[in-house]
Amino acid sequence: MIRVKLRAWTASFRYPTFQSGYQPTLPVPPPSTIQGILSAAKGEPVYLTELPYVGYVFRSEGKGLDLEKIYALGKVETDIMRREFLYNAELYLYLPDEWEEHFRRPRYQLLLGRSSDVATVEEIKEVELEETEAPVGGTVLPLELRVPGVVHALVVEYDYSVTPRKARLVRPFVVLPFPKGKASKLKLPYDEELGVGVYLHRWHE
């Protein structure tokens, strides 16, 4: 498999239960963000349920708060909204080898959240991960693994054949920030460089 490293100054991932007002960010991208990145790299809609596997690990150096001017729909009034963002962000994607060509020359810009969160491909390398008992984090995990954490219902993939897009698959996940200290452990492929286990999602099964 290959590991693609993306880097961005900022990242923000929509918190599913907040629709207006203060906008917090999830600590890691939901699967639908990964779908968006793969689709942008390939230049056409990609569905995670059609891939043999995809794994990802996200980490950042911290969280900040931005003030954003917004316009009410159909009105001239404006308002100020507070929006959280993550800074100095890194996303590691674990993908089948054939994805290398798409990330060598991405068709569209790669984003870690909103249009201002532009990411660049910093590294693509082949990796061989050996399975072992490893700390987990920087990703989302299915509930069946029984790892403690905050649970959210997240979109896995959108259907882009209709306008506006519609959620095609929604699942509950445990959302785990990148481990900084004691963390839950699972027997998983281990990325020694990052010091974490990598859960490979297989939604096609």
Side-chain angles (χ1 to χ4, degrees):
M1 81 174 63
I2 61 166
R3 190 187 73 182
V4 180
K5 179 183 179 182
L6 303 181
R7 177 181 290 279
W9 287 347
T10 61
S12 56
F13 309 115
R14 185 185 175 88
Y15 212 89
T17 54
F18 281 71
Q19 297 296 323
S20 62
Y22 185 83
Q23 294 289 310
T25 177
L26 290 173
V28 300
S32 58
T33 296
I34 305 303
Q35 181 195 18
I37 291 170
L38 298 184
S39 299
K42 192 173 182 179
E44 61 183 61
V46 172
Y47 294 98
L48 301 184
T49 50
E50 296 173 0
L51 301 182
Y53 65 84
V54 59
Y56 65 94
V57 173
F58 175 87
R59 64 183 181 184
S60 69
E61 292 187 11
K63 187 187 295 183
L65 190 63
D66 195 11
L67 298 178
E68 188 174 86
K69 186 178 182 180
I70 59 172
Y71 293 86
L73 188 63
K75 300 178 181 178
V76 295
E77 297 94 0
T78 62
D79 200 355
I80 300 296
M81 184 173 64
R82 292 181 298 168
R83 183 187 294 277
E84 290 182 350
F85 65 93
L86 304 160
Y87 64 90
N88 283 345
E90 295 175 343
L91 175 65
Y92 297 83
L93 298 169
Y94 301 82
L95 298 161
D97 295 347
E98 57 266 29
W99 278 91
E100 178 172 353
E101 64 177 276
H102 301 306
F103 281 96
R104 291 284 179 201
R105 289 177 291 278
R107 180 70 183 275
Y108 300 111
Q109 65 270 33
L110 306 176
L111 306 174
L112 295 189
R114 299 183 304 143
S115 59
S116 57
D117 303 320
V118 178
T120 57
V121 178
E122 189 168 283
E123 180 186 62
I124 301 173
K125 64 188 290 188
E126 291 185 16
V127 292
E128 291 186 12
L129 307 182
E130 293 189 14
E131 195 166 285
T132 187
E133 195 81 12
V136 290
T139 191
V140 300
L141 296 175
L143 300 187
E144 304 85 78
L145 297 179
R146 299 180 181 278
V147 173
V150 177
V151 176
H152 285 288
L154 301 174
V155 176
V156 173
E157 63 183 17
Y158 285 99
D159 183 354
Y160 287 100
S161 66
V162 295
T163 304
R165 65 180 186 179
K166 290 184 177 179
R168 194 158 92 162
L169 178 63
V170 180
R171 291 274 174 82
F173 293 97
V174 177
V175 179
L176 292 175
F178 191 84
K180 297 177 180 176
K182 190 175 181 181
S184 299
K185 291 187 175 182
L186 292 173
K187 191 172 184 180
L188 292 173
Y190 179 60
D191 190 327
E192 188 174 2
E193 187 178 334
L194 301 183
V196 293
V198 179
Y199 183 79
L200 299 177
H201 293 277
R202 292 182 168 87
W203 284 296
H204 67 289
E205 295 174 346

